[in-house]
Amino acid sequence: MTLPSSGTINLNQIHVEAGGTSNTLASINDSDIRGLIGKGSEVQMSFSEWYGASAASGTVSFLGFSSTTTGGFANGNRTLSSGNKLVVVVSAHTMASSSNTSTNPTSVLCGGVAMTKAVGGVPHYNSVSGIGTQTSIWYLETTQSGSTLISGSSGGTGAQDGVAYTFEITGTTAFTPYATASANNAGSEALSETITVDGQSGGVTIVVGGFAGPGTAAVSGGNLSIDQQNAEPFAQYFVASASNISGGNTTYTVTKTSNTGTNSAFSLHAASFG
């Protein structure tokens, strides 16, 4: 059970959340208690740092992706496991013109049930080529299982090639995002970009990115790893995830590792669940 986010909090509550027995001996420097918020031994700490902490032990499974060469959503079926879980769908599209400012997409459905957008925004462009990318993250708590259609609206005005990635998350203590983040470098193209997202100890983080032009990407920071990359004629997309993350802010760096003679405009979005 997640610790209170404000008000009174005591060592016994923290100890129980960390897996200890109520009203037994504990110290704020115990490794299991420090582990709730990713603290090192013998460092200065305040009880307020445990606000909202959780002993979540989230796991994330990548279920696959669909792609499309049109401006429509990349519909496709995914096999969902049994039981209650969080389904997360990540969408990415290429946009053909810097005048295309519609958000992407306007709806995503999991087995016909509307999902909620965690984060996503307008396209970010390479000012030289006029090509941009849009990315967004959607989620739904569900007990659906078996082959399930992931579908959605179009990618918006000017949308071209697109992909949709699907994940399942279990073991978290909540079924809404703990935090979200957005980053882009559309105004100053480069070969890398960073994004910082808050996380709950033991939770899950998902990061989606796209950049104009050909190339491949690498990520660093925390224990994030790329699950899938897709090269389209005018853009590159990737999605990355991490389980059992440390609490607090983590900065992830995305670097273009091929075709490095051409800078890019990155579009990055992240969501953490705990």
Side-chain angles (χ1 to χ4, degrees):
M1 183 175 182
T2 303
L3 290 168
S5 59
S6 62
T8 302
I9 188 171
N10 59 50
L11 181 57
N12 186 59
Q13 288 173 290
I14 298 171
H15 186 209
V16 171
E17 181 64 26
T21 301
S22 182
N23 296 317
T24 58
L25 185 64
S27 162
I28 198 170
N29 195 53
D30 289 349
S31 60
D32 56 346
I33 289 175
R34 289 186 288 103
L36 285 176
I37 58 172
K39 283 287 188 177
S41 180
E42 305 295 341
V43 300
Q44 186 174 352
M45 293 174 279
S46 168
F47 275 22
S48 63
E49 294 182 72
W50 275 266
Y51 280 149
S54 168
S57 183
T59 59
V60 58
S61 301
F62 178 59
L63 302 185
F65 73 98
S66 298
S67 61
T68 178
T69 57
T70 72
F73 188 85
N75 297 338
N77 282 70
R78 302 286 179 270
T79 302
L80 306 183
S81 66
S82 59
N84 200 48
K85 65 271 182 184
L86 191 68
V87 174
V88 177
V89 174
V90 177
S91 173
H93 272 90
T94 304
M95 307 301 289
S97 167
S98 59
S99 64
N100 304 140
T101 57
S102 59
T103 56
N104 113 45
T106 55
S107 67
V108 176
L109 306 177
C110 174
V113 179
M115 306 185 76
T116 301
K117 183 167 71 172
V119 63
V122 299
H124 301 295
Y125 290 90
N126 180 307
S127 60
V128 176
S129 67
I131 300 297
T133 57
Q134 282 185 332
T135 57
S136 56
I137 300 175
W138 303 71
Y139 66 95
L140 175 71
E141 180 185 2
T142 183
T143 58
Q144 296 179 71
S145 62
S147 181
T148 304
L149 177 64
I150 304 298
S151 60
S153 66
S154 72
T157 304
Q160 296 187 341
D161 307 299
V163 292
Y165 307 102
T166 305
F167 293 87
E168 273 190 359
I169 296 175
T170 57
T172 57
T173 58
F175 289 95
T176 57
Y178 179 77
T180 61
S182 302
N184 71 85
N185 65 332
S188 56
E189 296 158 1
L191 295 178
S192 66
E193 178 61 21
T194 62
I195 187 168
T196 300
V197 61
D198 194 9
Q200 190 158 285
S201 179
V204 169
T205 293
I206 293 175
V207 176
V208 57
F211 55 83
T216 53
V219 298
S220 60
N223 58 345
L224 195 74
S225 61
I226 290 179
D227 296 284
Q228 178 72 35
Q229 292 199 57
N230 289 81
E232 302 298 340
F234 301 106
Q236 175 79 16
Y237 315 119
F238 75 89
V239 67
S241 62
S243 297
N244 196 27
I245 61 175
S246 299
N249 287 326
T250 301
T251 297
Y252 304 101
T253 300
V254 180
T255 304
K256 187 178 181 184
T257 57
S258 67
N259 293 290
T260 55
T262 304
N263 291 338
S264 293
F266 290 80
S267 173
L268 306 178
H269 288 103
S272 66
F273 302 86

